[in-house]
């Protein structure tokens, strides 16, 4: 300890220092916890309490679920947590019953990988991480209702995750009701014969396996053999959203391949229209809404059948059915079942012939002797590419002829059928009609494979109608249809004739769609980019599926009485991983190694039988799809949440027609995955009558990111940021060597992380809270600068000195009336801070508090008690510990958490007078002191009567007077 520090502490023993802050903060955190200060009462049930508070307007404020990392928090993590805490505190002080808590999303790959590396059970490491994170969050003074905190790994929690899965499994989407209904209602239709089975047999004639297969085509949760993203390096399959644009795993950066596996899926596509429509009523950033709309990808068009034989047809979805006469070839996805065949496990017959048709162009064969060899080789090549790679605008187009011709249904022409990787099985039908004259990718493919082109949309750029002379395709929705039917060449329509010549695109679409529908060879339809949600993971650390299989492989749901199905112990937690580049591998799950758990005897209502458990686990998204609901009623053993409690906190109300959480704060990186999945689950639960809210989150706010400088040496290796020295005006060195500096993420791996523990130890939690809120607008990313933290520390020191004598520790306020200047400064601050708090503008709120505090400091004398108390209340949401301490010193015995927030007096908010500038020919001739509320007419009269203005005009006439009350008058002489 330096002599200077010792002298200061001796002269001012009650100065606000880091040590005093630590003492204050620890005491008040203990007080809040012991007194249940932040407990929000439910209207009924085990968490019912203060009825007066429960009768207040409610607000449900939420943060996005944190994952309990072993590295703990750095200062970037709590940015959103502090913001919601400030907002929630302000709401409590403005008369609201506020539900604000925080749980932990603790299943998933990180904990499992750590367990594999260290031999520590993932539950042990995860729970230790949670304990550490709770300690760090508590130190920040976050006002959470700890009674409501949950962990997704708690069996009492995932019992209800499994229960929700069963509700989805036991449901189907009824298009007539436009809602999910219990699967029993579908069975009743089959039994009564009002709905036909696929082969027309009576329901009673079907075996148990056949019935299960029929219902599987309707269930909202279903198992199917489908193309999946297989990641050998992780030993698991991944959802589309977990694969990067480079075709690699988001976690671990391993190659991802297409494979066909039996997996659980959620039929989220049934809700595509509702997921789109209901976005309109949500108070979300437009950028997030746009991302969801693009991901769902609604497009209107037509399905069209192209016959390939008397019994087979290729069905395409197109949004440009008006160009059917221009379809000169077709392309199937390499995974299309019509070419895959049973030898590839696809369960479909292949239309690929044994030999090339006579006259097959050499460039079409890929150098292979037979179509089957060509198709098999190309399929293997395509499987090694991601969907993103396949859709990229590659310079060289690849593909191969299948040996099959299809019939264009409007022209009767025989068109060759290719497979190419630019067509995806996941969009439309996995087949396209290629119109190369009017599609860029089709044009490039046609040129590469020497295929014909036909212009059917008249170019408006003067290029003519002969595509052989074009450099690129012509695509337009504002043009006239030509050559439809073709003037020469081509065949004869298979059923009737039609011409689209001379029509606009919209008219042509309508006409051809009606023609196709009349002949039963097509229909108008809507298609979505959205795919069903892959819901299986080949991992240990996740929720077990409450499903067992009988000897026929039929899936049976466990009864609710058998929930939760707890995760068993296994010796090896790791899924079997493979060479990251070996696509010809299959998953092997950790749970499959525990045979005593997998094979089980159960009585599901028809006597004891032996069953086999599902050995996949749910994805990490499962627990976060519904956690807002469990916050409401976390100790309820009989229901997800009591209906009255759910209605109270999340039910529809004025301004929130779909209900939901009042404010949800989190990162924009969750725009699609978590938010879309949670919306889907919420809608299913609403349809089935379990909740009153159709949407989980009414208002969404995306906070920015706290960034930090990353320093790298000559090898590109990150070096410890805290040990870098700056010399010579912006040149940086580490251990004598020059290093580069770039602003980026903060993190342990980048060696630039600053922990909240460090800042709290040096300045106190209130200083950290203020600094993070003062750095800039909440929704903007900003760089961390430890040196700048001291600015907010000094604000708190000045605030302390304005109320407390540093030598004696006694309050210095006086019971006198403040002067008018102070009243104006006070009420302007109250008015501004109130508006800023309501709109999450915490940086400007802090600026207004600072301005008021500085005003009081400059007065030099003791401040009035009424001013001091309101100043303390103003800063309380932002710096709650010091505010509580000062409130207590000012003589109050109750916590200020539920005290009334100050209300501004309008008389003091408006300036007493403002200065109006009077100009003549753009030059200032007078300045008038006027009332802020002065009218245009009165201001004009005052300006024209001013002696300086009269003199400047010199008797000249006036052509025009422009008045902008109360600050400007511009006079234009005649």
């Amino acid at each position: 300890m330096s002599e200077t520090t010792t002298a200061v502490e001796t002269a001012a023993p009650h100065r606000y220092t880091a040590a005093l802050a630590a003492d204050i903060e620890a005491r008040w955190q203990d007080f809040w916890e012991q007194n249940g200060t932040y407990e929000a009462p439910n209207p009924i049930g085990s968490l019912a309490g203060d009825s007066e508070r429960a009768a207040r307007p409610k607000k449900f404020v939420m943060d996005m679920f944190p994952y309990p990392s072993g590295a703990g928090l750095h200062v970037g993590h709590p940015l959103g947590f502090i913001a919601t805490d400030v907002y929630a505190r302000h709401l409590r002080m403005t008369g609201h019953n506020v539900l604000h808590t925080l749980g932990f999303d603790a299943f998933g790959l990180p904990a499992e990988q750590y367990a594999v590396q260290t031999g520590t059970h993932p539950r042990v490491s995860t729970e230790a991480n949670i304990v550490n994170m709770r300690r760090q969050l508590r130190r920040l003074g976050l006002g959470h209702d700890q009674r409501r905190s949950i962990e997704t790994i708690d069996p009492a929690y995932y019992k209800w995750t499994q229960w929700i899965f069963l509700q989805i499994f036991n449901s189907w989407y009824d298009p007539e009701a436009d809602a999910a209904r219990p699967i029993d209602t579908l069975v009743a239709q089959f039994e009564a014969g009002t709905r036909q089975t696929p082969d027309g047999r009576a329901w009673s004639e079907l075996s148990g396996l056949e019935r299960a297969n029929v219902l599987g085509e309707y269930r909202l949760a279903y198992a199917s053999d489908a193309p999946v993203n297989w990641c050998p390096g992780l030993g698991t399959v991944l959802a589309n959203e977990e694969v990067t644009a480079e075709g690699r795993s988001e976690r671990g950066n391993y190659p991802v391949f297409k494979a066909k596996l039996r997996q659980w899926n959620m039929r989220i596509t049934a809700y595509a229209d509702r997921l789109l429509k209901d976005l309109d009523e949500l108070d979300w950033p437009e950028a997030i809404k746009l991302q969801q709309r693009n991901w769902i990808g609604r497009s209107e068009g037509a399905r069209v059948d192209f016959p390939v034989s008397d019994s087979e047809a290729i069905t395409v979805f197109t949004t440009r059915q008006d160009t059917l006469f221009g379809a000169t070839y077709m392309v199937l996805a390499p995974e299309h079942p019509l070419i895959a065949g049973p030898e590839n496990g696809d369960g479909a017959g292949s239309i690929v012939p044994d030999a090339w048709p006579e006259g097959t162009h050499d460039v079409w064969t890929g150098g292979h002797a037979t179509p089957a060899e060509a198709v098999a080789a190309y399929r293997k090549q395509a499987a090694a590419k991601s969907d993103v790679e396949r859709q990229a605008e590659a310079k060289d187009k690849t593909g191969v002829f299948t040996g099959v011709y299809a019939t264009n249904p409007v022209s009767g022409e025989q068109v060759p059928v290719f497979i190419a990787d630019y067509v995806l099985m996941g969009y439309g039908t996995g087949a396209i009609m290629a119109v190369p004259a009017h599609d860029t990718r089709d044009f490039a493919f046609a040129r590469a494979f020497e295929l014909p082109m036909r212009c059917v949309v008249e170019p408006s750029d003067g290029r003519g109608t002969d595509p052989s002379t074009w450099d690129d395709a012509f695509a337009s929705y504002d043009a006239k249809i030509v050559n439809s039917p073709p003037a020469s060449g081509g065949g004869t329509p298979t059923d009737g004739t039609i011409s689209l010549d001379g029509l606009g695109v919209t008219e042509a679409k309508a006409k051809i769609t009606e023609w196709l529908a009349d002949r039963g060879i097509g229909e108008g339809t809507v298609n979505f980019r959205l795919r069903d949600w892959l819901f299986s993971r080949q991992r240990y650390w996740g929720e077990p599926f409450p499903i067992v299989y009988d000897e026929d492989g039929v899936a049976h749901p466990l009864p609710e009485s058998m929930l939760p199905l707890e995760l068993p112990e296994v010796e090896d937690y790791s899924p079997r991983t493979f060479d990251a580049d070996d696509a010809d591998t299959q998953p092997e799950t950790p749970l499959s190694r525990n045979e005593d758990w997998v094979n089980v005897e159960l009585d599901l209502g028809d006597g004891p039988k032996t069953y086999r458990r599902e050995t996949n686990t749910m994805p990490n998204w499962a627990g976060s799809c519904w956690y807002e609901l469990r916050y409401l009623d976390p100790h309820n053993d009989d229901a997800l949440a009591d209906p009255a409690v759910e209605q109270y906190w999340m039910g529809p109300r004025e301004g929130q027609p779909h209900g939901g959480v009042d404010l949800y704060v989190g990162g924009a990186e969750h725009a699609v995955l978590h938010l879309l999945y949670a919306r889907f689950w919420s809608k299913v639960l609403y349809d089935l009558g379990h909740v009153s809210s159709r949407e989980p989150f009414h208002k969404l706010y995306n906070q920015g990111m706290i960034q930090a400088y990353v320093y790298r040496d000559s090898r590109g290796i990150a070096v410890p940021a805290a040990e870098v020295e700056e010399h010579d005006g912006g040149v940086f060195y580490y251990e004598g060597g020059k290093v580069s500096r770039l602003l980026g993420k903060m993190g342990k791996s980048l060696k630039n992380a600053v922990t909240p523990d460090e800042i709290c130890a040096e300045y106190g939690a209130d200083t950290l809270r203020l600094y993070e809120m003062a750095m800039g607008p909440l929704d903007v990313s900003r760089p961390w600068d430890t040196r700048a933290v001291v600015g907010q520390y000094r604000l708190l020191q000045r605030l302390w000195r304005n109320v407390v004598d540093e030598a004696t520790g006694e309050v210095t306020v006086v019971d006198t009336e403040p002067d008018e200047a102070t009243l104006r400064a006070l009420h302007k601050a109250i008015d501004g801070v109130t508006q800023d708090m309501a709109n999450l503008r915490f940086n400007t709120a802090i600026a207004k508090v600072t301005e008021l505090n500085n005003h009081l400091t400059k007065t030099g004398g003791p401040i009035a008690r009424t001013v001091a108390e309101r100043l303390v209340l103003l800063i309380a949401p932002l710096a709650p510990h010091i505010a509580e301490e000062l409130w207590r010193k000012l003589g109050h015995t109750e916590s200020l958490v539920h005290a009334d927030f100050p209300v501004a007096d309008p008389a003091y908010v408006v300036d007493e007078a403002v200065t109006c500038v009077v100009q003549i020919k753009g030059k200032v001739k007078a300045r008038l002191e006027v009332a802020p509320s002065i009218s245009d007419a009165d201001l004009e009269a005052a300006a024209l009567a001013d002696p300086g203005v009269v003199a400047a005009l010199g008797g000249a006439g006036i052509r025009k007077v422009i008045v902008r009350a109360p600050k400007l008058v511009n006079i234009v002489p005649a």
Side-chain angles (χ1 to χ4, degrees), residues 50 82 101 127 172 194 215 240 311 328 341 398 427 430 461 471 487 657 672 699 742 810 931:
D50 186 338
I82 295 171
T101 191
E127 289 180 345
W172 67 293
T194 55
L215 295 179
N240 290 339
S311 59
T328 57
T398 65
Y427 180 77
D461 55 7
D471 294 325
V672 173
K699 181 178 176 65
L742 187 67
E810 299 298 319

Side-chain angles (χ1 to χ4, degrees), residues 435-578:
V435 185
H438 307 295
D439 181 272
T440 301
R441 291 183 304 171
D442 294 348
F443 185 94
F445 191 91
R447 280 283 163 90
F449 288 86
E450 301 176 18
L451 290 157
M453 304 186 200
R454 178 177 298 116
C455 173
V456 293
V457 180
E458 187 174 49
S460 55
D461 55 7
R463 66 172 73 186
T465 59
D466 181 3
S468 66
T469 65
W470 297 357
D471 294 325
D472 54 16
F474 175 76
S476 174
Y477 278 88
D478 185 20
K480 187 170 64 175
I481 303 299
V482 296
N483 297 329
S484 300
S488 62
T492 303
T494 57
D495 185 7
T497 58
I498 184 174
S499 175
L500 305 179
D501 286 349
L503 298 178
V505 169
T506 302
E507 295 170 289
K509 280 186 176 185
K511 184 174 181 179
I512 193 67
T513 300
E514 183 180 4
W515 186 88
L516 291 166
D518 286 345
R519 285 153 183 79
I521 54 176
E523 64 177 342
T525 188
V526 174
N527 195 60
F528 295 91
R529 177 178 179 268
L530 180 68
R531 299 295 90 196
D532 280 346
W533 173 17
L534 179 65
F535 202 69
S536 294
R537 296 295 183 273
Q538 290 67 48
R539 298 176 187 150
Y540 168 70
W541 196 232
E543 298 91 342
F545 282 93
I547 293 289
V548 293
Y549 299 91
D550 64 23
E551 58 185 5
D552 294 324
V554 175
H556 296 267
L558 292 181
E560 187 176 334
S561 61
M562 292 186 183
L563 302 182
L565 172 60
E566 296 197 30
L567 199 61
E569 297 297 321
V570 295
E571 292 183 4
D572 182 3
Y573 315 118
S574 57
R576 183 182 177 192
T577 57
F578 304 86

Side-chain angles (χ1 to χ4, degrees), residues 690-736:
H690 298 300
V691 299
S692 65
S693 50
R694 290 190 293 273
E695 287 282 342
F697 315 115
H698 170 70
K699 181 178 176 65
L700 176 69
Y701 190 97
N702 297 130
Q703 88 274 15
M705 181 188 298
I706 289 184
Q707 300 169 305
Y709 286 110
V710 182
Y711 298 89
R712 298 185 184 276
D713 61 20
S714 58
R715 302 167 298 166
I717 305 298
V719 302
E723 299 174 30
V724 171
E725 297 179 352
E726 182 178 359
H727 299 290
D728 308 324
V731 182
F732 303 92
Y733 295 88
Y734 171 70
E735 294 184 344

Side-chain angles (χ1 to χ4, degrees), residues 152 157 161 533 535 543 618-627 681:
T152 57
Y157 179 84
T161 308
W533 173 17
F535 202 69
E543 298 91 342
M618 298 186 197
N620 59 301
W621 308 108
S624 61
C625 274
W626 70 281
Y627 70 117
W681 277 34

Side-chain angles (χ1 to χ4, degrees), residues 292-349:
Q292 290 222 349
R293 290 187 179 109
N294 289 342
W295 190 262
I296 296 168
R298 187 182 193 277
S299 52
E300 294 187 14
R303 281 202 300 270
V304 187
D305 294 333
F306 283 67
V308 292
S309 69
D310 291 340
S311 59
E312 295 282 6
I314 296 172
T315 301
V316 303
F317 169 80
T318 177
T319 59
R320 291 301 304 268
Q321 60 269 40
D322 56 302
T323 64
L324 256 170
F325 282 99
T328 57
Y329 66 97
M330 301 186 75
V331 183
L332 308 183
E335 305 85 4
H336 198 286
L338 283 178
I339 56 159
E343 70 277 7
N344 294 299
D346 294 279

Side-chain angles (χ1 to χ4, degrees), residues 41 50-58 95 97 648:
D50 186 338
S51 58
E52 182 276 327
R53 192 180 300 168
R56 297 176 182 179
K58 68 89 193 178
N97 184 24
Y648 173 83

